[in-house]
Amino acid sequence: LDAVRRQYRIGNWEINVTASVGIALADESSTSESLLRDADDATRLAKSLGRDRAKLFDEALRAKAEQRMATTSALRVALDRNELSVSYQPVIDLATGAMVSAEALLRWNHPDRGPISPAVFIPIAEETGLILPIGGWALKQACEQLSQWQRVDPLMSVAVNLSVRQVMDPDILDQIRRVLKSTGIRPESLCLELTESVFMEDIDQCAEMLAGLKNLGVQLSLDDFGTGYSSLSYLSRFPFDIVKIDQSFIRGLGTNPSETALVAAILSMAKALELSVTAEGIEDQTQLIALEEMGCQLGQGFYLDRPMPALEMTHTLTLPSHTQPHPAPPAPGRGRAGRWPKAADPKGGEGNLRGRRRAQGDQDPAAGRRHGRPGPGRPAHGRARHRRHGEGEGQAHHQGRPLCHPCS
């Protein structure tokens, strides 16, 4: 590895090279095929740990590789066997408490193993190419569901994550065009979320695809902002409408001055670029208060509401309370966040804020009406838009991630 790391000069260019090495040791039962397979698995592990290293294949890695093979085989038939489903996590207007959108989240319930985390099966789907049929199915499911919801709330929108493979698929524009036509939803009510990893592909082709998506009239969101590559240049170069601040920046809000300052800087930058901002992974009241005091428009996370099946989301939309402003007046010195009642259990159910308000709505059919609706397809807090132009967040981030995205 040290020999490989040395710098090479090719013409006027100086090239730095590193290597990831996988090592497999032969025993009496080894074959050439098994040795190559084991060495390849060890190489994959070396790459996942940061590259520029060597890893030895051992029994623990063998067990993991066998589990991965079994998961891959099961995933190939999961769609045909109706084992996949879509859940939805509300996106909340932090100023009013109104639900303005929902992020579609892919779920897999294996008949023998039970629920399998998207953090496990989404990377496999992307690596094998299964993300294309699975992602296409999930996109259609979310749009068909949105079409039904818009009969109850015409301003409702939905967000769906696209993987790198989907974005670079030559058929993606036609696929989205067909879904929009068959479901009849307004294009601006569909938000497509992309992570910065998409920009590691052919940048010119990526720019062309994003321009094509934008021309369809859909909204574009940059997900997990701040965790990857040259985010600032991407925001100015590509036609995004929304920035989603990654939950890793949200965790320290109100307690960590550095992270609080970073979030404030992101909000200021987004405002200058006329972008809406969604904070991901809100898990407690301290984070919520800090975000509202900084003027963040939208938020999602287990403290606000948990992901839920489509039927439960439909029930939520039919309750007058889902459009109700916060029931309590602002507490002295707490800013707008004082309107939020304290949640007993941030993990979901009736313990979270939206769950408590749903319960109140069941008992109060005369509860108020919808308030401001920033989010996909709608200016945030009355600002006009002049630009050319996602398991749930929170504690569920490690149990389920957005559609077609690792760790949803």
Side-chain angles (χ1 to χ4, degrees):
L1 289 175
D2 289 337
V4 172
R5 288 190 196 106
R6 70 185 182 86
Q7 197 171 69
Y8 297 86
R9 175 173 289 277
I10 301 178
N12 295 326
W13 297 91
E14 291 184 349
I15 308 298
N16 294 300
V17 180
T18 62
S20 299
V21 179
I23 303 169
L25 302 178
D27 58 28
E28 294 147 358
S29 62
S30 297
T31 65
S32 57
E33 290 82 3
S34 68
L35 281 173
L36 287 172
R37 182 194 64 224
D38 294 348
D40 185 58
D41 287 335
T43 303
R44 185 182 293 111
L45 176 60
K47 291 180 178 179
S48 70
L49 294 175
R51 304 175 182 267
D52 190 26
R53 67 193 64 209
K55 293 301 294 184
L56 177 66
F57 187 88
D58 56 20
E59 288 305 314
L61 192 54
R62 184 186 304 280
K64 185 176 180 180
E66 290 174 351
Q67 180 70 35
R68 182 183 177 88
M69 289 177 61
T71 300
T72 302
S73 298
L75 186 58
R76 292 186 184 279
V77 296
L79 190 57
D80 292 335
R81 294 180 178 177
N82 297 317
E83 297 172 9
L84 301 179
S85 64
V86 181
S87 290
Y88 301 87
Q89 185 173 33
V91 177
I92 307 300
D93 175 2
L94 299 185
T96 67
M99 176 167 58
V100 299
S101 182
E103 183 172 11
L105 309 169
L106 190 60
R107 297 289 189 263
W108 180 14
N109 189 23
H110 190 278
D112 299 321
R113 295 165 57 183
I116 298 178
S117 170
V120 173
F121 72 83
I122 292 295
I124 293 176
E126 291 188 329
E127 183 178 314
T128 60
L130 291 172
I131 199 66
L132 294 178
I134 291 175
W137 171 84
L139 174 67
K140 186 176 180 181
Q141 288 285 307
C143 291
E144 288 177 348
Q145 188 61 64
L146 177 61
S147 177
Q148 297 180 37
W149 289 338
Q150 288 184 342
R151 298 171 191 170
V152 178
D153 179 356
L155 294 179
M156 185 62 180
S157 60
V158 73
V160 179
N161 276 250
L162 293 185
S163 72
V164 175
R165 283 212 180 200
Q166 287 178 280
V167 174
M168 307 308 289
D169 181 15
D171 187 51
I172 186 63
L173 296 179
D174 287 338
Q175 181 183 25
I176 294 175
R177 192 179 290 112
R178 290 192 299 267
V179 169
L180 292 173
K181 182 177 180 180
S182 65
T183 59
I185 64 172
R186 295 175 290 106
E188 64 270 20
S189 66
L190 173 62
C191 180
L192 301 176
E193 297 190 359
L194 303 88
T195 63
E196 297 168 359
S197 59
V198 72
F199 302 113
M200 297 301 289
E201 302 298 316
D202 185 319
I203 199 71
D204 293 328
Q205 183 182 355
C206 181
E208 181 181 347
M209 295 302 293
L210 291 183
L213 290 171
K214 195 61 194 167
N215 287 337
L216 294 178
V218 302
Q219 300 283 297
L220 296 180
S221 173
L222 182 58
D223 198 10
D224 298 338
F225 179 78
T227 61
Y229 316 102
S230 303
S231 301
L232 294 177
S233 65
Y234 297 150
L235 285 179
S236 61
R237 178 174 180 180
F238 299 109
F240 288 106
D241 303 281
I242 301 168
V243 171
K244 299 191 74 173
I245 304 177
D246 186 72
Q247 69 168 1
S248 61
F249 294 100
I250 304 301
R251 293 192 187 104
L253 280 181
T255 58
N256 185 314
S258 297
E259 292 185 358
T260 301
L262 280 172
V263 172
I266 292 173
L267 288 167
S268 178
M269 175 195 62
K271 181 178 180 180
L273 294 174
E274 296 186 321
L275 296 170
S276 296
V277 178
T278 300
E280 301 181 288
I282 301 174
E283 295 184 349
D284 59 46
Q285 191 177 42
T286 299
Q287 296 167 358
L288 177 62
I289 290 172
L291 287 166
E292 290 209 346
E293 289 179 344
M294 286 189 286
C296 185
Q297 301 145 325
L298 306 173
Q300 66 184 104
F302 263 40
Y303 186 70
L304 302 180
D305 216 339
R306 57 187 171 79
M308 62 189 78
L311 185 60
E312 186 177 346
M313 176 69 82
T314 301
H315 176 63
T316 300
L317 285 171
T318 60
L319 294 176
S321 61
H322 97 278
T323 63
Q324 180 89 336
H326 307 321
R334 301 305 290 273
R336 292 175 299 168
R339 303 182 205 172
W340 289 95
K342 184 177 181 181
D345 176 11
K347 292 187 177 180
E350 301 307 321
N352 62 28
L353 301 182
R354 296 286 305 175
R356 289 164 62 95
R357 295 180 63 241
R358 280 199 297 274
Q360 294 168 359
D362 285 334
Q363 301 168 7
D364 182 13
R369 61 173 56 200
R370 191 170 202 82
H371 284 238
R373 307 228 14 146
R378 188 86 172 192
H381 298 284
R383 290 189 294 107
R385 301 303 303 267
H386 301 294
R387 288 181 67 81
R388 293 169 292 163
H389 355 145
E391 89 162 355
E393 297 304 334
Q395 296 177 6
H397 187 84
H398 303 290
Q399 300 169 6
R401 272 282 291 179
L403 287 173
C404 315
H405 187 290
C407 298
S408 138

